[in-house]
Amino acid sequence: MQMPEPNGAILAKKARIVDRLQAVLPAGAVIHDEAETRAYECDALTAYRCPPLAAVLPSTTQEVSDVLRICHEEGVSVVPRGSGTSLAGGALPTADSVILGVARMNAVLETDYDNRYIRVQTGRTNLSVTGAVEADDFFYAPDPSSQLACAIAGNIAMNSGGAHCLKYGVTTNNLLGVTLVQMDGTVVELGGAYMDAGGIDLLGVVCGSEGQLGVVTEATLRILRKPEGALPVLIGYDSNEVAGACVSDIIKAGVLPVAIEFMDAPCIRATEDFAKAGYPDCEALLIIEVEGAPCEIEEQLAKIKEIALRHNPVELREARDADEAARIWLGRKSAFGAMGNINDYMCLDGTIPVTELPYVLRRIGEMSKEYGLEVANVFHAGDGNMHPLILFNANAPGQLELCEAFGADILKLCVEVGGCLTGEHGVGIEKRDLMSHQYTPADLEAQMAVKDVFDPKWLLNPAKVFPLGASDGHRAAALAAE
Amino acid sequence: MAEAVAGATGPLAVRGGGTRGLLAEGAVLETGGLSGITLYEPGALTLVAQAGTPVAQIEAALEAEGQMLAFEPMDHRGVLGSVGEPTIGGVVAANVSGPRRVAPSGACRDCLLGVRFVDGLGQVIKNGGRVMKNVTGYDLVKLQAGAYGTLGVLTEVSLRVAPKPEASVTLVLEGLSLGDAVAAMSRGLTSPYQVTGAAHFGERTLLRIEGFEGSVRYRAGQLSAMFDGARIEEDAAGLWAQVRDVSGFAGHDAVWRISTVPGRALEMVQGLDVDVMLDWGGGLIWVAARGDVAGLHGTLQQRAARLGGHATLVKTPDPALPRFQPEPAPVARLTQGIRAKFDPRGILNLGIMG
Ligand SMILES: Cc1cc2nc3c(=O)[nH]c(=O)nc-3n(C[C@H](O)[C@H](O)[C@H](O)COP(=O)(O)OP(=O)(O)OC[C@H]3O[C@@H](n4cnc5c(N)ncnc54)[C@H](O)[C@@H]3O)c2cc1C
């Protein structure tokens, strides 16, 4: 992965930059010792590492603004960071950048049930937002599998999704307002606690902008009343095609499950060995969860079963109680762990039209043979968001590169059939150089124009999202304006 | 379309169906030539259409498959007294979202999966696509929803559609004051019974429940038990159309659309000589008045700024009044910056958003 050369002039004035940052932050909030900055050298895409110049951990919006103003004056790049769980290298530093971590900003600022919102500092973890309202039977809907660790900050930057998004939408559909600090230190309020932000939808473009438009310090999130209950059903098929057709029929029939999860044979076998969830040995498994009161669950499950039976499943297993429900989810929830147990893996997240599922799964199978690398598929089938896990051995020379080439081919396939490179993990550095497969130069220019407006010096989260060749002109113009 | 924009020598006024009373200054650029559904996959809940496609044509195609546009776009013709055929491009450009906004992903912007547009220089640009989940690059799709054509002329939009509910019933509460109505709607919306519409007009407060037959019966029963004197209306489609289209205010000279926190609805209109209808559980306030409204306009925009939210003049007796709420300086700078990038010559739909 090509990254720009570190700016020698910035490296040379490290001491001065650190001094200025220390002057506006409390003791202990500036990390500059080389051994300690290593803690920030990567996110969950661990194949790429680079310790930053320094890392800062501000506690207030004002401190964030001070830090950014100083970095702006000094021409120093800033990489915003939440919990560092990005799978796309979104929080990967450069040697000449300052990491701005919001982990210390984790307070709940306001909870309003009548008006159905919560306002939090963005360093708060996803799960602890629900944790703050759960005792009163409310929840925050977007639920990435990393929800125990990941922060709302990263969720907003990546527009993260989760298993329940089929019914409740992703982050952007549940975000009402943010406090954003621009690179020059200007603090802007976008949206609020009301249901549509006024003017052109700047909030909408900030969500999913991967930390390149500003640092989000506070967020107003929509909270919902918890459903009365939920139950999953497990359905096994002897082919991916049939399972795919079943998904499509369920959606068409007007049933809106909260989740439709899909696992293919390699994934079923690996998780079975690992978690012993008692899954049937078949080609494709669906786990479908519905919500409501017992009578409502029964009604929806009856419709799902009727459709599922039409496709001749090899197994259809219902959960009669919480225990059985947990067993059905057990394998799915340990899928990533199971994969990690047998091998190194790379997790992709291209999205395809649901109708293309069978074709794409077949093609991935063929490519897997061509590349000689195994793939396991486990994903959110209801919305076509695939998660092919390519297994490889990181210690064997050349395997990472082979794996990346295979991954790129899968993502190109997703684009070819009418889908996209990433459904919820973001572009980061990982998919940066594939962007031109999905977008024309003019498409990319239009996106970069937004960055020109929010961050004219191009200092925020450098070298991500846009191919370096495409952003060259913008970065050069920014430097020239200095 | 790209050529028409590239070759323009002065301001352009983009015109879809012309039903929303928002024609800008300049040469009229019609989108009507760009018409037709390009792709409809009921099994994937997606529909792609050219921007000039009549909404009615899209709704008919969806109806044939038992599906719908979940965001229930308002038809402005009644309240504005306009004529013409609303187009899907106009709906998207104005982010027109109806009563179902209170349900998850219920706004037009939430259902918009992709756009193709021509920017102010005549370049064709695509963003998003036709899949439900897409975080590839910046979300210009959201930026276009509600930009009223100031950031480009939409040529194609891709939408997430929804199955039509098997059943729908509405709980009706009579005679509540505005404050009590907001409180009642809030109770409904914070119940586990998945209310998909919460409105108040005339003497009536409405709570809508949709879904499968059995589930709707169950939830309607539970919800009624929460309120004294609740009545269940089996066929309330007409009432919801009135809410959606604000048709009750057809006879007024001025109509505002105010977005705010539901709990602030009462303060927003207290002491004013106006007629009021609430949607979105009170989060959307429709205010109507007659006669000279310049003073009232100022008051409403000031209150919205103070209480949180914004007031837009949807129907105006005086074209000189600025329709949109002025933005705070740092936000306005960003907005102007974005407009200057997408429309460097400053020719697209001038005067609509200021
Ligand atoms: C095991 C595992 C499972 C996962 N499952 C899912 C899943 O189901 N769904 C899903 O969508 N993702 C998933 N992810 C990916 C990841 O958890 C999400 O992208 C998450 O939102 C990242 O949050 P974070 O706080 O860790 O952000 P970080 O990794 O710290 O940063 C992510 C991006 O956000 C930017 N950023 C951070 N803070 C700010 C801020 N304050 N202002 C502006 N920008 C900022 C960063 O610069 C970076 O670009 C998973 C990851 C792992 C490791």
Side-chain angles (χ1 to χ4, degrees):
Chain A
M1 183 65 50
Q2 192 203 344
M3 294 297 272
E5 276 296 304
N7 181 334
I10 301 289
L11 300 179
K13 62 175 177 177
K14 172 172 175 177
R16 168 193 156 94
I17 295 164
V18 167
D19 276 353
R20 288 196 67 188
L21 293 173
Q22 280 174 332
V24 295
L25 292 176
V30 182
I31 294 152
H32 55 90
D33 179 87
E34 270 173 41
E36 291 175 57
T37 52
R38 287 220 167 268
Y40 298 93
E41 68 180 1
C42 69
D43 53 29
L45 184 68
T46 52
Y48 298 97
R49 295 163 194 263
C50 172
L53 188 76
V56 295
L57 300 170
S59 306
T60 64
T61 298
Q62 183 58 50
E63 286 176 11
V64 171
S65 167
D66 290 341
V67 166
L68 289 174
R69 181 178 40 78
I70 291 167
C71 290
H72 187 252
E73 285 167 11
E74 299 286 349
V76 181
S77 297
V78 171
V79 177
R81 181 179 170 107
S83 303
T85 68
S86 169
L87 289 167
L92 175 76
T94 54
D96 55 4
S97 67
V98 168
I99 282 271
L100 191 165
V102 292
R104 289 188 182 173
M105 302 179 64
N106 59 7
V108 172
L109 303 170
E110 189 190 353
T111 313
D112 186 332
Y113 294 121
D114 282 344
N115 294 304
R116 306 171 291 285
Y117 69 85
I118 185 170
R119 188 160 177 86
V120 298
Q121 287 184 314
T122 54
R124 195 168 182 88
T125 62
N126 174 293
L127 193 61
S128 70
V129 172
T130 288
V133 294
E134 184 166 50
D136 297 299
D137 280 335
F138 279 77
F139 73 112
Y140 173 60
D143 59 342
S145 335
S146 52
Q147 66 183 156
L148 187 64
C150 67
I152 292 299
N155 292 177
I156 293 171
M158 292 311 198
N159 188 16
S160 300
H164 288 63
C165 290
L166 187 56
K167 178 167 178 189
Y168 296 110
V170 295
T171 303
T172 193
N173 311 116
N174 292 276
L175 178 68
L176 299 173
V178 295
T179 302
L180 176 90
V181 188
Q182 283 179 251
M183 188 63 214
D184 65 2
T186 309
V187 179
V188 200
E189 295 294 334
L190 300 176
Y194 37 94
M195 262 182 282
D196 59 353
I200 61 170
D201 195 355
L202 298 173
L203 178 66
V205 77
V206 161
C207 188
S209 62
E210 306 206 11
Q212 294 196 312
L213 301 185
V215 175
V216 179
T217 57
E218 294 179 12
T220 306
L221 309 169
R222 195 169 174 179
I223 49 174
L224 299 170
R225 178 68 185 267
K226 269 200 200 157
E228 292 179 86
L231 270 189
V233 52
L234 177 145
I235 310 165
Y237 286 105
D238 53 17
S239 92
N240 289 331
E241 271 89 350
V242 180
C246 177
V247 170
S248 194
D249 284 354
I250 289 171
I251 290 173
K252 227 177 123 181
V255 190
L256 188 60
V258 264
I260 305 184
E261 299 288 299
F262 191 119
M263 292 166 75
D264 72 355
C267 185
I268 299 167
R269 280 162 211 153
T271 51
E272 199 43 37
D273 289 345
F274 180 74
K276 311 249 179 309
Y279 285 176
D281 188 15
C282 58
E283 286 303 305
L285 262 191
L286 298 175
I287 297 176
I288 305 178
E289 181 155 280
V290 296
E291 285 180 346
C295 65
E296 297 181 273
I297 289 179
E298 206 175 301
E299 185 179 33
Q300 295 173 80
L301 286 181
K303 300 210 189 258
I304 291 171
K305 280 187 289 188
E306 194 209 308
I307 295 166
L309 288 173
R310 265 192 260 144
H311 293 277
N312 297 319
V314 295
E315 170 123 6
L316 195 157
R317 186 183 304 169
E318 287 181 72
R320 270 155 307 188
D321 53 36
D323 235 34
E324 289 185 5
R327 287 197 69 74
I328 287 183
W329 275 111
L330 177 68
R332 168 63 182 92
K333 293 204 164 150
S334 37
F336 285 60
M339 290 301 159
N341 197 38
I342 46 176
N343 237 321
D344 298 306
Y345 68 82
M346 186 167 121
C347 174
L348 305 175
D349 93 309
T351 305
I352 56 167
V354 184
T355 38
E356 299 288 341
L357 263 179
Y359 170 70
V360 170
L361 287 172
R362 194 169 60 241
R363 278 294 297 138
I364 291 178
E366 289 163 9
M367 287 195 268
S368 159
K369 291 203 186 80
E370 288 159 26
Y371 275 95
L373 291 174
E374 266 210 82
V375 186
N377 283 291
V378 44
F379 57 92
H380 316 302
D383 46 32
N385 190 191
M386 317 260 302
H387 284 317
L389 305 176
I390 308 178
L391 308 183
F392 71 107
N393 180 354
N395 294 323
Q399 281 243 313
L400 173 65
E401 290 71 21
L402 190 66
C403 174
E404 286 183 333
F406 184 10
D409 276 349
I410 293 182
L411 295 183
K412 287 179 201 164
L413 171 66
C414 291
V415 174
E416 249 166 57
V417 301
C420 65
L421 298 171
T422 168
E424 57 181 17
H425 295 167
V427 178
I429 51 156
E430 194 201 18
K431 281 149 273 186
R432 185 189 73 188
D433 296 335
L434 291 172
M435 285 289 273
S436 354
H437 286 278
Q438 185 166 337
Y439 291 117
T440 65
D443 296 343
L444 291 175
E445 280 298 325
Q447 297 178 33
M448 291 188 288
V450 174
K451 170 128 175 115
D452 286 339
V453 173
F454 277 83
D455 176 24
K457 288 192 181 183
W458 277 65
L459 290 174
L460 274 166
N461 214 4
K464 315 274 170 70
V465 185
F466 304 106
L468 294 182
S471 65
D472 257 351
H474 293 259
R475 287 178 291 127
L479 263 183
E482 276 283 272
Chain B
M1 181 60 67
E3 282 161 25
V5 177
T9 52
L12 292 176
V14 188
R15 189 172 183 279
T19 65
R20 300 185 202 275
L22 287 168
L23 199 59
E25 314 145 17
V28 174
L29 188 63
E30 302 268 0
T31 65
L34 297 168
S35 182
I37 296 170
T38 30
L39 176 139
Y40 175 28
E41 285 189 349
L45 301 178
T46 40
L47 180 142
V48 183
Q50 299 202 66
T53 312
V55 176
Q57 185 184 334
I58 289 174
E59 288 184 330
L62 292 170
E63 178 75 40
E65 292 286 341
Q67 299 188 335
M68 62 177 187
L69 294 173
F71 56 94
E72 296 175 273
M74 168 179 181
D75 183 340
H76 283 71
R77 284 175 294 188
V79 65
L80 297 182
S82 56
V83 289
E85 212 29 64
T87 62
I88 195 67
V91 165
V92 167
N95 184 25
V96 181
S97 312
R100 223 176 265 109
R101 178 68 185 100
V102 292
S105 301
C108 172
R109 79 193 275 277
D110 296 316
C111 298
L112 189 63
L113 304 174
V115 291
R116 197 183 291 274
F117 62 95
V118 175
D119 75 3
L121 293 177
Q123 303 183 85
V124 180
I125 291 160
K126 171 179 75 74
N127 194 261
R130 62 178 171 101
V131 287
M132 307 263 177
K133 275 165 86 182
N134 188 344
V135 298
T136 320
Y138 295 171
D139 194 347
L140 305 184
V141 174
K142 297 280 182 307
L143 209 51
Q144 288 292 352
Y148 291 87
T150 59
L151 304 181
V153 185
L154 293 169
T155 56
E156 189 176 75
V157 299
S158 141
L159 296 161
R160 174 181 179 158
V161 301
K164 272 190 119 160
E166 180 181 285
S168 170
V169 304
T170 296
L171 209 73
V172 183
L173 305 169
E174 300 276 356
L176 299 184
S177 68
L178 213 56
D180 288 344
V182 172
M185 291 189 285
S186 175
R187 283 181 68 201
L189 288 165
T190 52
S191 77
Y193 307 123
Q194 300 181 52
V195 169
T196 63
H200 172 83
F201 74 109
E203 291 286 283
R204 279 180 292 211
T205 309
L206 312 176
L207 293 169
R208 180 173 64 184
I209 293 177
E210 299 171 303
F212 289 124
E213 189 66 42
S215 162
V216 165
R217 289 293 147 217
Y218 163 76
R219 285 181 282 144
Q222 297 291 104
L223 200 62
S224 322
M226 290 169 52
F227 300 97
D228 284 337
R231 173 166 67 77
I232 290 179
E233 179 78 46
E234 295 291 335
D235 184 9
L239 285 176
W240 287 107
Q242 285 180 50
V243 172
R244 184 193 68 198
D245 297 342
V246 201
S247 40
F249 292 161
H252 291 69
D253 301 317
V255 178
W256 290 263
R257 180 186 179 283
I258 304 177
S259 178
T260 188
V261 181
R264 301 273 162 76
L266 190 58
E267 265 176 279
M268 197 69 84
V269 296
Q270 214 157 28
L272 302 178
D273 181 20
V274 293
D275 290 315
V276 173
M277 181 179 96
L278 304 179
D279 195 359
W280 302 358
L284 177 62
I285 313 172
W286 291 98
V287 174
R290 295 191 169 84
D292 179 16
V293 298
L296 187 54
H297 185 52
T299 306
L300 287 171
Q301 292 200 330
Q302 277 158 24
R303 287 191 185 185
R306 178 166 54 83
L307 297 170
H310 50 94
T312 310
L313 192 47
V314 171
K315 179 179 186 178
T316 179
D318 176 3
L321 292 175
R323 285 171 178 271
F324 287 82
Q325 176 109 16
E327 294 177 319
V331 180
R333 264 201 301 280
L334 291 171
T335 300
Q336 289 314 322
I338 302 268
R339 279 182 70 172
K341 287 283 181 189
F342 283 80
D343 177 21
R345 294 184 293 166
I347 57 169
L348 294 178
N349 272 359
L350 300 184
I352 291 186
M353 293 191 93

